[in-house]
Amino acid sequence: MGLFLVVMTLTMCKNQPAATPSTPEEALAELIAGNERYVNEKSIHPHGNMDRVGETAPHQAPFAAVVGCSDSRVPVELLFDQGVGDIFVIRTAGNNVNSEMVMGSVDYAIEHLGVKLLVVLGHGSCGGVTGAISDGEEEHGNIGHLLATIRNDVSDYVGNIDSLDAAIRHHTQVQVERVVAYPHVAEKIANGELLVKKAYYDVNTGKVTY
Ligand SMILES: [Zn+2]
């Protein structure tokens, strides 16, 4: 009977995440812990059931926002082991924030949703940055516009594909600098209400480093 109760309790707790982070430090700690679970194949897939869907239907209150790449190898909720209503995710190819649509989304997360943490997540082998620094036939149209926007932020690396990884990391750094340069963002950081971090996702290991 005792063992049965233990098994039942463990089963019921399996998908229960820690309490929702209420400070920037707690938010970062939860993303770090979630990525560790993911890397170690110990994901608990929190907040993934219909109770959670119903609970969050009236309003959302994510504790963090992530600006990541659309790359199919960088599934943001999965790699941080988060669920419905946990993180506000903005994904574009190359995770560049230099557009009204992306910055508008970032502002929405910070101003209206009150996220405690904003992560700009670059990743290894990023096709967006690769395209931006590659020599070769120029892309036109929307893809050309996208690559030109990224290229502006990694101009020192154009033509030097051997430095792709450095270019990716530099590109992420530029996005963070761009976000924190906005006075309303800087004010929240100064007040201890928000943390903005750059991060790098390794497509080989699944690990996020900050
Ligand atoms: Zn990418």
Side-chain angles (χ1 to χ4, degrees):
M1 187 63 186
L3 180 64
F4 174 75
L5 276 176
V6 168
V7 170
M8 278 300 286
T9 309
L10 284 174
T11 307
M12 287 165 68
C13 289
K14 188 171 167 284
N15 291 330
Q16 296 303 308
T20 303
S22 58
T23 66
E25 292 72 25
E26 284 176 15
L28 181 60
E30 173 50 28
L31 291 193
I32 290 171
N35 181 245
E36 270 175 23
R37 295 194 295 267
Y38 174 71
V39 169
N40 294 313
E41 299 188 308
K42 297 263 166 53
S43 290
I44 58 172
H45 305 293
H47 294 151
N49 58 21
M50 285 303 127
D51 281 351
R52 177 65 168 179
V53 170
E55 183 190 311
T56 53
H59 78 281
Q60 59 169 327
F63 65 86
V66 177
V67 176
C69 184
S70 302
D71 194 304
S72 60
R73 297 166 296 178
V74 191
V76 177
E77 279 90 347
L78 277 178
L79 68 89
F80 285 121
D81 193 25
Q82 300 300 315
V84 176
D86 290 333
I87 48 178
F88 187 88
V89 183
I90 304 150
R91 292 176 72 174
T92 61
N95 51 267
N96 190 296
V97 302
N98 194 13
S99 79
E100 290 168 345
M101 298 293 280
V102 174
M103 264 318 294
S105 303
V106 168
D107 280 347
Y108 181 73
I110 293 174
E111 296 288 316
H112 288 267
L113 301 178
V115 296
K116 308 285 181 254
L117 170 68
L118 172 74
V119 174
V120 180
L121 183 64
H123 71 96
S125 304
C126 183
V129 179
T130 303
I133 67 170
S134 295
D135 287 324
E137 214 173 300
E138 201 175 323
E139 296 271 4
H140 294 283
N142 292 322
I143 298 176
H145 179 71
L146 175 90
L147 294 181
T149 303
I150 297 171
R151 191 176 299 125
N152 280 337
D153 290 343
V154 288
S155 50
D156 289 349
Y157 298 88
V158 173
N160 187 5
I161 197 68
D162 289 343
S163 298
L164 174 63
D165 214 59
I168 289 166
R169 291 169 192 274
H170 177 73
H171 183 257
T172 311
Q173 175 67 29
V174 173
Q175 307 320 306
V176 167
E177 287 168 7
R178 183 169 282 134
V179 172
V180 302
Y182 284 95
H184 63 283
V185 177
E187 190 185 328
K188 285 208 178 274
I189 296 170
N191 291 340
E193 298 166 42
L194 175 72
L195 199 56
V196 178
K197 298 288 280 185
K198 73 166 176 168
Y200 176 91
Y201 179 73
D202 187 325
V203 292
N204 298 293
T205 64
K207 183 114 188 97
V208 175
T209 46
Y210 296 86

